[in-house]
Amino acid sequence: MGPKRAELLDKNLGIRTYHDLLYHFPTHYVDRTTIRRIVDFQGADMPSVQVRGRFVTFNVQGEGAKTRLTGLFSDGSGVMEVVWFQRIKFLREHYHTNTEYVVFGKPTQFNGRWSMVHPEVDAPGAPGAQEGFRGVYPLTEQLRNRGFSSKTFSTAVTTILSGMTVLSETLPQHIIARHNLLGIRDALVNIHTPSSPQMLERARMRLKFEELFYLQLDIQRYARRRSSTTQGLYFPRIGKFFNTFYSDFLPFPLTGAQKRVIKEIRADMATGRQMNRLLQGDVGSGKTLVALLTMLIALDNGTQACLMAPTEILATQHFETISKMVAPMGVNVKLLTGSTRRKAREEIDTQLTDGSLHILIGTHAVIEDRVRFRNLGFIVIDEQHRFGVAQRARLWTKNTTPPHVLVMTATPIPRTLAMTVYGDLDVSVIDELPPGRKPVQTLLRYDEERFATYQGIGRQLRKGRQVYIVYPLIKENEKLDLRSLEEGYENICDTFRDYRVAYLHGKMRPEEKDYQMQLFATHQADILVSTTVIEVGVNVPNATTMVIENSERFGLSQLHQLRGRVGRGGEQSYCILMTKRKIAKDTRKRLELMTATTDGFEIAEADMQMRGPGDIEGTMQSGIPFDLHIANLATDGQIVQLARDTACAVLDADPSLAAPENSLLVRQLALLSSRLKDWSRIS
Ligand code: ADP
Ligand code: MG
């Protein structure tokens, strides 16, 4: 390419080697099998097309930076303008009138005349023109201005590939044969310059499979190695803590799903291996009780337990529920958060080290290095979407033998994503809600129908029920959002003068937040006007109505979480999604789905389809060690499954990958992990 262009490629796209270039794939493809006619152009958003004809005239206009070159191009059916803003001198010398060219670009219409800006221009029959399916590559503005085009890439790639007599295969032959995959050379050739749509599909399949396969192989190898080498705590006993609580203090009979999940966890803790389990259960399915009962098993086996929640509000709530339930049994429970006073902290430290503190509940503060346990046997992580492999691994150092770990989440994670983000965990699912729950009724209302919403609120308040009113608060929009929150609050206070209104947002000091939350939790306030700080976990069963303002600004999973704050008691509950009338089609689809279903899995799946996996509540940060290059967890579920099954089969047959036919796998994994973040390392 020459040193100048090479440097540009490096600077703009990080492409340095042949490998980088070969793996810089097109984002989509254009059909260059057909020639279009200018008379047939129509519509505001035409795709790129190619036209065959001649330049009638060339014209240079403007001066200095504003110079542009316009060519009038005719194909016999009509004329269009072809415009360049860069490299004018060069182009002026290279393109001629009365010579036939194939021009390829996106036609746009202005004042009744069609034009193309910076199209690709080829002699008919030249490589590039009319060659079938052509890749369109991601480019930067700078590269484009310096004359790089999609053609530059496909030409470079074709040159490299035809010059490479050996191109090492990156998957073992037995896997290629079993799944009838393309070889690496065919795959690369066809991903860049597909010979047909069918070959393009096969090339994609091969490359996606490879990417997902090595990811799964890495995860599975890590999980297996961990479970075979990591010593775990052995909890054989069910003793007085569990039994007394179960027989005397259980507030209600467990649901079948709760019982099953507790059994699974109990069996796990009695194997002598360390438990790493994910507990999925929709909002309101009763995960807290499962956490408590399993923590009591840890206590019965002479160890301490710890429960970590994502927010101070939630930690406080857990502390209150749990300490109330177990206080009569003499279980010592303490709360530790960022705002715990020094004196209380010191007491916690002492009791943690002398072992008299049984259960510690708190925020991230509980896993700080300075917090030392005497004998921590079990850690429960509640509602942490961002708790990835590395963070989990840090917990293990909290005890000489790593404690058992249970991660609980109500954000249903689509299967494919779970297989990847939490691919190294065993999974338990609570698929049943406590009896007597009525599904929340969800309504979509426009801002001008606010009066009806207020009437509904009034009816609930007169029945003695409580109401949440939620406002968005988003960083980019913080000032504006805070203002509308304040205005909303004043408005509500005005409208419902006979009722008490609490007010809560994330910017408040922790004590103030606690106080406001307490007002609502203890029914000293009837209405809570708040931002999404109440999104996860908050449990006030008497609250039966939630109004979500500007609901169009929330993601599906977030709306589902919010809605989960109501419908927690036996009363019929309502969720009202307020929105302006003018919203994008996708947004409307999202909101309508909310009114149609309360099934968290369905919603999570739809959310991922609509937004792509990268946006799902930060799940990406939580565990995937690198950006996927070509595979897409939202749409490639079947390939994820195939990749996982294949990886498992390989490891079942050859756990240490010692067989000669697997030596390539070991090499590839090493190569990948040197290039990727080393996620499996335990720090
Ligand atoms: P989540 O799974 O969303 O964390 P919680 O643990 O907060 O749910 O439980 C939601 C509500 O259901 C709480 O009020 C809790 O007391 C109640 N609950 C939990 N288990 C049962 C049960 N087996 N029967 C009846 N109510 C239950
Ligand atoms: Mg919860």
Side-chain angles (χ1 to χ4, degrees), residues 251-255 258 281-290 317-318 321 382-383 408 410 430 434-435 437 537-539 541 564-565 568:
F252 16 60
L254 296 178
T255 63
Q258 282 171 321
D282 213 338
V283 284
S285 60
K287 292 184 291 296
T288 317
L289 204 52
V290 172
Q317 177 189 291
H318 278 326
T321 334
D382 191 21
E383 306 287 2
M408 305 199 297
I430 306 186
R437 295 276 172 82
V538 169
N539 187 37
R565 299 312 106 218
R568 304 193 137 233

PDB file of all heavy atoms in Angstrom, residues 251-255 258 281-290 317-318 321 382-383 408 410 430 434-435 437 537-539 541 564-565 568, ligand 1:
ATOM      1  N   PRO A 251     -42.568 -17.051  56.856  1.00  0.00           N
ATOM      2  CA  PRO A 251     -43.765 -16.196  56.800  1.00  0.00           C
ATOM      3  C   PRO A 251     -44.880 -16.771  55.918  1.00  0.00           C
ATOM      4  O   PRO A 251     -46.041 -16.429  56.111  1.00  0.00           O
ATOM      5  CB  PRO A 251     -43.241 -14.884  56.210  1.00  0.00           C
ATOM      6  CG  PRO A 251     -41.936 -15.206  55.574  1.00  0.00           C
ATOM      7  CD  PRO A 251     -41.393 -16.419  56.236  1.00  0.00           C
ATOM      8  N   PHE A 252     -44.542 -17.609  54.966  1.00  0.00           N
ATOM      9  CA  PHE A 252     -45.566 -18.254  54.133  1.00  0.00           C
ATOM     10  C   PHE A 252     -44.981 -19.519  53.545  1.00  0.00           C
ATOM     11  O   PHE A 252     -43.768 -19.664  53.462  1.00  0.00           O
ATOM     12  CB  PHE A 252     -46.065 -17.346  52.998  1.00  0.00           C
ATOM     13  CG  PHE A 252     -45.191 -16.176  52.715  1.00  0.00           C
ATOM     14  CD1 PHE A 252     -43.867 -16.351  52.320  1.00  0.00           C
ATOM     15  CD2 PHE A 252     -45.674 -14.883  52.876  1.00  0.00           C
ATOM     16  CE1 PHE A 252     -43.052 -15.271  52.075  1.00  0.00           C
ATOM     17  CE2 PHE A 252     -44.853 -13.793  52.627  1.00  0.00           C
ATOM     18  CZ  PHE A 252     -43.548 -13.988  52.230  1.00  0.00           C
ATOM     19  N   PRO A 253     -45.856 -20.429  53.136  1.00  0.00           N
ATOM     20  CA  PRO A 253     -45.313 -21.657  52.537  1.00  0.00           C
ATOM     21  C   PRO A 253     -44.518 -21.327  51.276  1.00  0.00           C
ATOM     22  O   PRO A 253     -44.896 -20.426  50.526  1.00  0.00           O
ATOM     23  CB  PRO A 253     -46.554 -22.486  52.195  1.00  0.00           C
ATOM     24  CG  PRO A 253     -47.739 -21.635  52.469  1.00  0.00           C
ATOM     25  CD  PRO A 253     -47.328 -20.401  53.171  1.00  0.00           C
ATOM     26  N   LEU A 254     -43.428 -22.028  51.069  1.00  0.00           N
ATOM     27  CA  LEU A 254     -42.622 -21.776  49.873  1.00  0.00           C
ATOM     28  C   LEU A 254     -43.368 -22.237  48.631  1.00  0.00           C
ATOM     29  O   LEU A 254     -44.149 -23.182  48.681  1.00  0.00           O
ATOM     30  CB  LEU A 254     -41.305 -22.545  49.969  1.00  0.00           C
ATOM     31  CG  LEU A 254     -40.363 -22.152  51.090  1.00  0.00           C
ATOM     32  CD1 LEU A 254     -39.124 -23.051  51.072  1.00  0.00           C
ATOM     33  CD2 LEU A 254     -39.943 -20.692  50.973  1.00  0.00           C
ATOM     34  N   THR A 255     -43.107 -21.571  47.533  1.00  0.00           N
ATOM     35  CA  THR A 255     -43.663 -22.071  46.270  1.00  0.00           C
ATOM     36  C   THR A 255     -42.843 -23.291  45.847  1.00  0.00           C
ATOM     37  O   THR A 255     -41.714 -23.492  46.331  1.00  0.00           O
ATOM     38  CB  THR A 255     -43.550 -21.014  45.148  1.00  0.00           C
ATOM     39  OG1 THR A 255     -42.164 -20.742  44.892  1.00  0.00           O
ATOM     40  CG2 THR A 255     -44.259 -19.733  45.518  1.00  0.00           C
ATOM     41  N   GLN A 258     -39.468 -22.274  44.569  1.00  0.00           N
ATOM     42  CA  GLN A 258     -38.520 -21.903  45.628  1.00  0.00           C
ATOM     43  C   GLN A 258     -37.920 -23.156  46.265  1.00  0.00           C
ATOM     44  O   GLN A 258     -36.714 -23.240  46.497  1.00  0.00           O
ATOM     45  CB  GLN A 258     -39.215 -21.047  46.696  1.00  0.00           C
ATOM     46  CG  GLN A 258     -39.418 -19.595  46.276  1.00  0.00           C
ATOM     47  CD  GLN A 258     -40.308 -18.818  47.256  1.00  0.00           C
ATOM     48  OE1 GLN A 258     -41.296 -19.364  47.775  1.00  0.00           O
ATOM     49  NE2 GLN A 258     -39.976 -17.568  47.500  1.00  0.00           N
ATOM     50  N   GLY A 281     -34.913 -15.355  38.474  1.00  0.00           N
ATOM     51  CA  GLY A 281     -36.317 -15.422  38.857  1.00  0.00           C
ATOM     52  C   GLY A 281     -36.927 -14.078  38.578  1.00  0.00           C
ATOM     53  O   GLY A 281     -36.369 -13.043  38.944  1.00  0.00           O
ATOM     54  N   ASP A 282     -38.055 -14.080  37.923  1.00  0.00           N
ATOM     55  CA  ASP A 282     -38.672 -12.828  37.516  1.00  0.00           C
ATOM     56  C   ASP A 282     -38.942 -11.949  38.744  1.00  0.00           C
ATOM     57  O   ASP A 282     -38.938 -12.425  39.871  1.00  0.00           O
ATOM     58  CB  ASP A 282     -39.981 -13.129  36.781  1.00  0.00           C
ATOM     59  CG  ASP A 282     -40.234 -12.099  35.685  1.00  0.00           C
ATOM     60  OD1 ASP A 282     -39.665 -10.989  35.769  1.00  0.00           O
ATOM     61  OD2 ASP A 282     -40.990 -12.413  34.759  1.00  0.00           O
ATOM     62  N   VAL A 283     -39.194 -10.673  38.495  1.00  0.00           N
ATOM     63  CA  VAL A 283     -39.466  -9.763  39.598  1.00  0.00           C
ATOM     64  C   VAL A 283     -40.616 -10.295  40.441  1.00  0.00           C
ATOM     65  O   VAL A 283     -41.623 -10.745  39.906  1.00  0.00           O
ATOM     66  CB  VAL A 283     -39.814  -8.345  39.096  1.00  0.00           C
ATOM     67  CG1 VAL A 283     -38.558  -7.629  38.661  1.00  0.00           C
ATOM     68  CG2 VAL A 283     -40.798  -8.400  37.949  1.00  0.00           C
ATOM     69  N   GLY A 284     -40.433 -10.265  41.733  1.00  0.00           N
ATOM     70  CA  GLY A 284     -41.502 -10.693  42.628  1.00  0.00           C
ATOM     71  C   GLY A 284     -41.612 -12.189  42.836  1.00  0.00           C
ATOM     72  O   GLY A 284     -42.548 -12.680  43.456  1.00  0.00           O
ATOM     73  N   SER A 285     -40.645 -12.953  42.333  1.00  0.00           N
ATOM     74  CA  SER A 285     -40.760 -14.401  42.442  1.00  0.00           C
ATOM     75  C   SER A 285     -40.273 -14.931  43.795  1.00  0.00           C
ATOM     76  O   SER A 285     -40.377 -16.115  44.074  1.00  0.00           O
ATOM     77  CB  SER A 285     -40.005 -15.084  41.303  1.00  0.00           C
ATOM     78  OG  SER A 285     -38.644 -14.746  41.337  1.00  0.00           O
ATOM     79  N   GLY A 286     -39.735 -14.055  44.629  1.00  0.00           N
ATOM     80  CA  GLY A 286     -39.362 -14.463  45.980  1.00  0.00           C
ATOM     81  C   GLY A 286     -37.939 -14.969  46.125  1.00  0.00           C
ATOM     82  O   GLY A 286     -37.679 -15.961  46.792  1.00  0.00           O
ATOM     83  N   LYS A 287     -36.999 -14.234  45.546  1.00  0.00           N
ATOM     84  CA  LYS A 287     -35.608 -14.651  45.622  1.00  0.00           C
ATOM     85  C   LYS A 287     -34.996 -14.382  46.996  1.00  0.00           C
ATOM     86  O   LYS A 287     -34.126 -15.104  47.449  1.00  0.00           O
ATOM     87  CB  LYS A 287     -34.786 -13.939  44.539  1.00  0.00           C
ATOM     88  CG  LYS A 287     -35.144 -14.392  43.136  1.00  0.00           C
ATOM     89  CD  LYS A 287     -34.261 -13.755  42.077  1.00  0.00           C
ATOM     90  CE  LYS A 287     -34.493 -12.268  41.908  1.00  0.00           C
ATOM     91  NZ  LYS A 287     -35.833 -11.915  41.430  1.00  0.00           N
ATOM     92  N   THR A 288     -35.496 -13.317  47.659  1.00  0.00           N
ATOM     93  CA  THR A 288     -34.919 -12.952  48.948  1.00  0.00           C
ATOM     94  C   THR A 288     -35.030 -14.102  49.951  1.00  0.00           C
ATOM     95  O   THR A 288     -34.097 -14.388  50.701  1.00  0.00           O
ATOM     96  CB  THR A 288     -35.639 -11.718  49.531  1.00  0.00           C
ATOM     97  OG1 THR A 288     -35.839 -10.781  48.474  1.00  0.00           O
ATOM     98  CG2 THR A 288     -34.831 -11.079  50.619  1.00  0.00           C
ATOM     99  N   LEU A 289     -36.170 -14.749  49.934  1.00  0.00           N
ATOM    100  CA  LEU A 289     -36.395 -15.836  50.867  1.00  0.00           C
ATOM    101  C   LEU A 289     -35.449 -17.008  50.570  1.00  0.00           C
ATOM    102  O   LEU A 289     -34.948 -17.664  51.490  1.00  0.00           O
ATOM    103  CB  LEU A 289     -37.858 -16.280  50.753  1.00  0.00           C
ATOM    104  CG  LEU A 289     -38.467 -16.979  51.960  1.00  0.00           C
ATOM    105  CD1 LEU A 289     -38.273 -16.173  53.229  1.00  0.00           C
ATOM    106  CD2 LEU A 289     -39.958 -17.222  51.716  1.00  0.00           C
ATOM    107  N   VAL A 290     -35.210 -17.249  49.302  1.00  0.00           N
ATOM    108  CA  VAL A 290     -34.262 -18.294  48.915  1.00  0.00           C
ATOM    109  C   VAL A 290     -32.868 -17.931  49.426  1.00  0.00           C
ATOM    110  O   VAL A 290     -32.158 -18.769  49.987  1.00  0.00           O
ATOM    111  CB  VAL A 290     -34.234 -18.477  47.378  1.00  0.00           C
ATOM    112  CG1 VAL A 290     -33.119 -19.422  46.962  1.00  0.00           C
ATOM    113  CG2 VAL A 290     -35.580 -18.978  46.887  1.00  0.00           C
ATOM    114  N   GLN A 317     -33.331  -2.289  52.751  1.00  0.00           N
ATOM    115  CA  GLN A 317     -34.570  -3.062  52.751  1.00  0.00           C
ATOM    116  C   GLN A 317     -34.318  -4.538  53.064  1.00  0.00           C
ATOM    117  O   GLN A 317     -35.018  -5.135  53.876  1.00  0.00           O
ATOM    118  CB  GLN A 317     -35.231  -2.915  51.388  1.00  0.00           C
ATOM    119  CG  GLN A 317     -36.489  -3.726  51.225  1.00  0.00           C
ATOM    120  CD  GLN A 317     -36.961  -3.708  49.780  1.00  0.00           C
ATOM    121  OE1 GLN A 317     -37.404  -2.677  49.286  1.00  0.00           O
ATOM    122  NE2 GLN A 317     -36.835  -4.820  49.102  1.00  0.00           N
ATOM    123  N   HIS A 318     -33.291  -5.110  52.446  1.00  0.00           N
ATOM    124  CA  HIS A 318     -32.950  -6.503  52.740  1.00  0.00           C
ATOM    125  C   HIS A 318     -32.622  -6.671  54.212  1.00  0.00           C
ATOM    126  O   HIS A 318     -33.028  -7.627  54.857  1.00  0.00           O
ATOM    127  CB  HIS A 318     -31.731  -6.941  51.926  1.00  0.00           C
ATOM    128  CG  HIS A 318     -32.058  -7.353  50.523  1.00  0.00           C
ATOM    129  ND1 HIS A 318     -33.230  -7.973  50.191  1.00  0.00           N
ATOM    130  CD2 HIS A 318     -31.348  -7.245  49.378  1.00  0.00           C
ATOM    131  CE1 HIS A 318     -33.234  -8.228  48.886  1.00  0.00           C
ATOM    132  NE2 HIS A 318     -32.104  -7.781  48.369  1.00  0.00           N
ATOM    133  N   THR A 321     -35.933  -6.580  56.275  1.00  0.00           N
ATOM    134  CA  THR A 321     -36.740  -7.800  56.150  1.00  0.00           C
ATOM    135  C   THR A 321     -36.067  -8.969  56.845  1.00  0.00           C
ATOM    136  O   THR A 321     -36.689  -9.696  57.616  1.00  0.00           O
ATOM    137  CB  THR A 321     -36.878  -8.227  54.656  1.00  0.00           C
ATOM    138  OG1 THR A 321     -36.729  -7.090  53.843  1.00  0.00           O
ATOM    139  CG2 THR A 321     -38.159  -8.917  54.379  1.00  0.00           C
ATOM    140  N   ASP A 382     -27.082  -9.847  44.871  1.00  0.00           N
ATOM    141  CA  ASP A 382     -28.449  -9.612  44.416  1.00  0.00           C
ATOM    142  C   ASP A 382     -28.481  -8.552  43.322  1.00  0.00           C
ATOM    143  O   ASP A 382     -27.891  -7.483  43.474  1.00  0.00           O
ATOM    144  CB  ASP A 382     -29.312  -9.154  45.602  1.00  0.00           C
ATOM    145  CG  ASP A 382     -30.798  -9.145  45.239  1.00  0.00           C
ATOM    146  OD1 ASP A 382     -31.187  -9.831  44.274  1.00  0.00           O
ATOM    147  OD2 ASP A 382     -31.565  -8.440  45.924  1.00  0.00           O
ATOM    148  N   GLU A 383     -29.165  -8.850  42.243  1.00  0.00           N
ATOM    149  CA  GLU A 383     -29.460  -7.857  41.211  1.00  0.00           C
ATOM    150  C   GLU A 383     -28.251  -7.103  40.705  1.00  0.00           C
ATOM    151  O   GLU A 383     -28.251  -5.889  40.605  1.00  0.00           O
ATOM    152  CB  GLU A 383     -30.454  -6.814  41.752  1.00  0.00           C
ATOM    153  CG  GLU A 383     -31.725  -7.378  42.316  1.00  0.00           C
ATOM    154  CD  GLU A 383     -32.669  -7.887  41.238  1.00  0.00           C
ATOM    155  OE1 GLU A 383     -32.306  -7.832  40.047  1.00  0.00           O
ATOM    156  OE2 GLU A 383     -33.753  -8.346  41.594  1.00  0.00           O
ATOM    157  N   MET A 408     -27.953 -13.553  42.032  1.00  0.00           N
ATOM    158  CA  MET A 408     -29.396 -13.539  41.777  1.00  0.00           C
ATOM    159  C   MET A 408     -29.753 -12.410  40.819  1.00  0.00           C
ATOM    160  O   MET A 408     -29.280 -11.294  40.980  1.00  0.00           O
ATOM    161  CB  MET A 408     -30.177 -13.315  43.079  1.00  0.00           C
ATOM    162  CG  MET A 408     -29.840 -14.305  44.170  1.00  0.00           C
ATOM    163  SD  MET A 408     -31.117 -14.386  45.447  1.00  0.00           S
ATOM    164  CE  MET A 408     -31.085 -12.727  46.116  1.00  0.00           C
ATOM    165  N   ALA A 410     -33.111 -10.618  38.444  1.00  0.00           N
ATOM    166  CA  ALA A 410     -34.493 -10.597  37.969  1.00  0.00           C
ATOM    167  C   ALA A 410     -34.533 -10.057  36.558  1.00  0.00           C
ATOM    168  O   ALA A 410     -35.575  -9.990  35.955  1.00  0.00           O
ATOM    169  CB  ALA A 410     -35.355  -9.721  38.860  1.00  0.00           C
ATOM    170  N   ILE A 430     -36.340 -19.749  39.068  1.00  0.00           N
ATOM    171  CA  ILE A 430     -37.643 -19.735  39.744  1.00  0.00           C
ATOM    172  C   ILE A 430     -38.668 -19.336  38.694  1.00  0.00           C
ATOM    173  O   ILE A 430     -38.713 -18.191  38.267  1.00  0.00           O
ATOM    174  CB  ILE A 430     -37.694 -18.708  40.895  1.00  0.00           C
ATOM    175  CG1 ILE A 430     -36.550 -18.939  41.872  1.00  0.00           C
ATOM    176  CG2 ILE A 430     -39.028 -18.805  41.626  1.00  0.00           C
ATOM    177  CD1 ILE A 430     -36.621 -18.048  43.105  1.00  0.00           C
ATOM    178  N   PRO A 434     -45.410 -16.425  43.592  1.00  0.00           N
ATOM    179  CA  PRO A 434     -46.213 -16.834  44.753  1.00  0.00           C
ATOM    180  C   PRO A 434     -47.699 -16.796  44.404  1.00  0.00           C
ATOM    181  O   PRO A 434     -48.110 -16.000  43.559  1.00  0.00           O
ATOM    182  CB  PRO A 434     -45.865 -15.789  45.806  1.00  0.00           C
ATOM    183  CG  PRO A 434     -44.515 -15.312  45.436  1.00  0.00           C
ATOM    184  CD  PRO A 434     -44.464 -15.367  43.944  1.00  0.00           C
ATOM    185  N   PRO A 435     -48.491 -17.639  45.049  1.00  0.00           N
ATOM    186  CA  PRO A 435     -49.905 -17.740  44.691  1.00  0.00           C
ATOM    187  C   PRO A 435     -50.658 -16.439  44.935  1.00  0.00           C
ATOM    188  O   PRO A 435     -50.267 -15.630  45.774  1.00  0.00           O
ATOM    189  CB  PRO A 435     -50.427 -18.848  45.609  1.00  0.00           C
ATOM    190  CG  PRO A 435     -49.433 -18.962  46.707  1.00  0.00           C
ATOM    191  CD  PRO A 435     -48.126 -18.534  46.148  1.00  0.00           C
ATOM    192  N   ARG A 437     -51.107 -13.874  43.016  1.00  0.00           N
ATOM    193  CA  ARG A 437     -50.696 -12.658  42.310  1.00  0.00           C
ATOM    194  C   ARG A 437     -51.570 -12.448  41.081  1.00  0.00           C
ATOM    195  O   ARG A 437     -51.826 -13.387  40.338  1.00  0.00           O
ATOM    196  CB  ARG A 437     -49.243 -12.764  41.851  1.00  0.00           C
ATOM    197  CG  ARG A 437     -48.255 -12.840  42.956  1.00  0.00           C
ATOM    198  CD  ARG A 437     -47.899 -11.466  43.482  1.00  0.00           C
ATOM    199  NE  ARG A 437     -47.073 -11.598  44.671  1.00  0.00           N
ATOM    200  CZ  ARG A 437     -45.770 -11.805  44.631  1.00  0.00           C
ATOM    201  NH1 ARG A 437     -45.156 -11.881  43.484  1.00  0.00           N
ATOM    202  NH2 ARG A 437     -45.094 -11.922  45.737  1.00  0.00           N
ATOM    203  N   GLY A 537     -35.604  -4.249  43.011  1.00  0.00           N
ATOM    204  CA  GLY A 537     -35.734  -4.842  44.330  1.00  0.00           C
ATOM    205  C   GLY A 537     -36.694  -4.243  45.331  1.00  0.00           C
ATOM    206  O   GLY A 537     -37.177  -4.950  46.206  1.00  0.00           O
ATOM    207  N   VAL A 538     -37.001  -2.952  45.220  1.00  0.00           N
ATOM    208  CA  VAL A 538     -37.798  -2.346  46.289  1.00  0.00           C
ATOM    209  C   VAL A 538     -39.141  -3.062  46.443  1.00  0.00           C
ATOM    210  O   VAL A 538     -39.813  -3.382  45.479  1.00  0.00           O
ATOM    211  CB  VAL A 538     -38.020  -0.844  46.009  1.00  0.00           C
ATOM    212  CG1 VAL A 538     -39.057  -0.259  46.939  1.00  0.00           C
ATOM    213  CG2 VAL A 538     -36.706  -0.097  46.127  1.00  0.00           C
ATOM    214  N   ASN A 539     -39.516  -3.322  47.683  1.00  0.00           N
ATOM    215  CA  ASN A 539     -40.681  -4.152  47.952  1.00  0.00           C
ATOM    216  C   ASN A 539     -41.661  -3.452  48.889  1.00  0.00           C
ATOM    217  O   ASN A 539     -41.459  -3.415  50.093  1.00  0.00           O
ATOM    218  CB  ASN A 539     -40.210  -5.472  48.577  1.00  0.00           C
ATOM    219  CG  ASN A 539     -41.344  -6.459  48.719  1.00  0.00           C
ATOM    220  OD1 ASN A 539     -42.224  -6.546  47.855  1.00  0.00           O
ATOM    221  ND2 ASN A 539     -41.345  -7.204  49.823  1.00  0.00           N
ATOM    222  N   PRO A 541     -45.527  -3.963  49.145  1.00  0.00           N
ATOM    223  CA  PRO A 541     -46.671  -4.670  48.559  1.00  0.00           C
ATOM    224  C   PRO A 541     -47.960  -3.858  48.490  1.00  0.00           C
ATOM    225  O   PRO A 541     -48.819  -4.136  47.657  1.00  0.00           O
ATOM    226  CB  PRO A 541     -46.845  -5.888  49.468  1.00  0.00           C
ATOM    227  CG  PRO A 541     -45.512  -6.091  50.098  1.00  0.00           C
ATOM    228  CD  PRO A 541     -44.910  -4.721  50.237  1.00  0.00           C
ATOM    229  N   GLY A 564     -42.175  -4.147  38.029  1.00  0.00           N
ATOM    230  CA  GLY A 564     -42.112  -5.181  39.059  1.00  0.00           C
ATOM    231  C   GLY A 564     -42.254  -4.656  40.480  1.00  0.00           C
ATOM    232  O   GLY A 564     -42.411  -5.418  41.429  1.00  0.00           O
ATOM    233  N   ARG A 565     -42.200  -3.337  40.643  1.00  0.00           N
ATOM    234  CA  ARG A 565     -42.400  -2.770  41.998  1.00  0.00           C
ATOM    235  C   ARG A 565     -43.861  -2.836  42.408  1.00  0.00           C
ATOM    236  O   ARG A 565     -44.166  -2.690  43.594  1.00  0.00           O
ATOM    237  CB  ARG A 565     -41.947  -1.297  42.075  1.00  0.00           C
ATOM    238  CG  ARG A 565     -40.498  -0.993  41.780  1.00  0.00           C
ATOM    239  CD  ARG A 565     -39.550  -1.883  42.497  1.00  0.00           C
ATOM    240  NE  ARG A 565     -38.965  -2.845  41.593  1.00  0.00           N
ATOM    241  CZ  ARG A 565     -38.704  -4.108  41.884  1.00  0.00           C
ATOM    242  NH1 ARG A 565     -38.988  -4.585  43.071  1.00  0.00           N
ATOM    243  NH2 ARG A 565     -38.162  -4.918  41.010  1.00  0.00           N
ATOM    244  N   ARG A 568     -47.169  -6.742  43.878  1.00  0.00           N
ATOM    245  CA  ARG A 568     -46.445  -7.602  44.812  1.00  0.00           C
ATOM    246  C   ARG A 568     -47.336  -8.104  45.931  1.00  0.00           C
ATOM    247  O   ARG A 568     -46.909  -8.885  46.771  1.00  0.00           O
ATOM    248  CB  ARG A 568     -45.261  -6.854  45.413  1.00  0.00           C
ATOM    249  CG  ARG A 568     -44.361  -6.330  44.347  1.00  0.00           C
ATOM    250  CD  ARG A 568     -43.034  -5.880  44.917  1.00  0.00           C
ATOM    251  NE  ARG A 568     -41.995  -6.349  44.037  1.00  0.00           N
ATOM    252  CZ  ARG A 568     -40.944  -7.061  44.402  1.00  0.00           C
ATOM    253  NH1 ARG A 568     -40.758  -7.363  45.657  1.00  0.00           N
ATOM    254  NH2 ARG A 568     -40.074  -7.471  43.520  1.00  0.00           N
TER     255      ARG A 568
HETATM  256  P1  ADP B   1     -37.727 -10.781  44.083  1.00  0.00           P
HETATM  257  O1  ADP B   1     -37.572 -12.154  43.538  1.00  0.00           O
HETATM  258  O2  ADP B   1     -38.195  -9.806  43.066  1.00  0.00           O
HETATM  259  O3  ADP B   1     -36.500 -10.320  44.832  1.00  0.00           O
HETATM  260  P2  ADP B   1     -38.915 -10.724  46.701  1.00  0.00           P
HETATM  261  O4  ADP B   1     -37.998 -11.690  47.307  1.00  0.00           O
HETATM  262  O5  ADP B   1     -38.727  -9.285  47.013  1.00  0.00           O
HETATM  263  O6  ADP B   1     -38.932 -10.893  45.120  1.00  0.00           O
HETATM  264  O7  ADP B   1     -40.398 -11.173  47.008  1.00  0.00           O
HETATM  265  C1  ADP B   1     -41.506 -10.469  46.511  1.00  0.00           C
HETATM  266  C2  ADP B   1     -42.661 -10.536  47.476  1.00  0.00           C
HETATM  267  O8  ADP B   1     -43.193 -11.843  47.520  1.00  0.00           O
HETATM  268  C3  ADP B   1     -42.278 -10.182  48.897  1.00  0.00           C
HETATM  269  O9  ADP B   1     -43.285  -9.381  49.445  1.00  0.00           O
HETATM  270  C4  ADP B   1     -42.201 -11.525  49.587  1.00  0.00           C
HETATM  271  O10 ADP B   1     -42.456 -11.408  50.943  1.00  0.00           O
HETATM  272  C5  ADP B   1     -43.277 -12.295  48.869  1.00  0.00           C
HETATM  273  N1  ADP B   1     -43.063 -13.747  48.835  1.00  0.00           N
HETATM  274  C6  ADP B   1     -41.888 -14.390  48.654  1.00  0.00           C
HETATM  275  N2  ADP B   1     -42.070 -15.717  48.678  1.00  0.00           N
HETATM  276  C7  ADP B   1     -43.391 -15.942  48.872  1.00  0.00           C
HETATM  277  C8  ADP B   1     -44.209 -17.110  48.979  1.00  0.00           C
HETATM  278  N3  ADP B   1     -43.701 -18.338  48.896  1.00  0.00           N
HETATM  279  N4  ADP B   1     -45.535 -16.944  49.167  1.00  0.00           N
HETATM  280  C9  ADP B   1     -46.072 -15.703  49.233  1.00  0.00           C
HETATM  281  N5  ADP B   1     -45.359 -14.560  49.153  1.00  0.00           N
HETATM  282  C10 ADP B   1     -44.031 -14.662  48.964  1.00  0.00           C
END
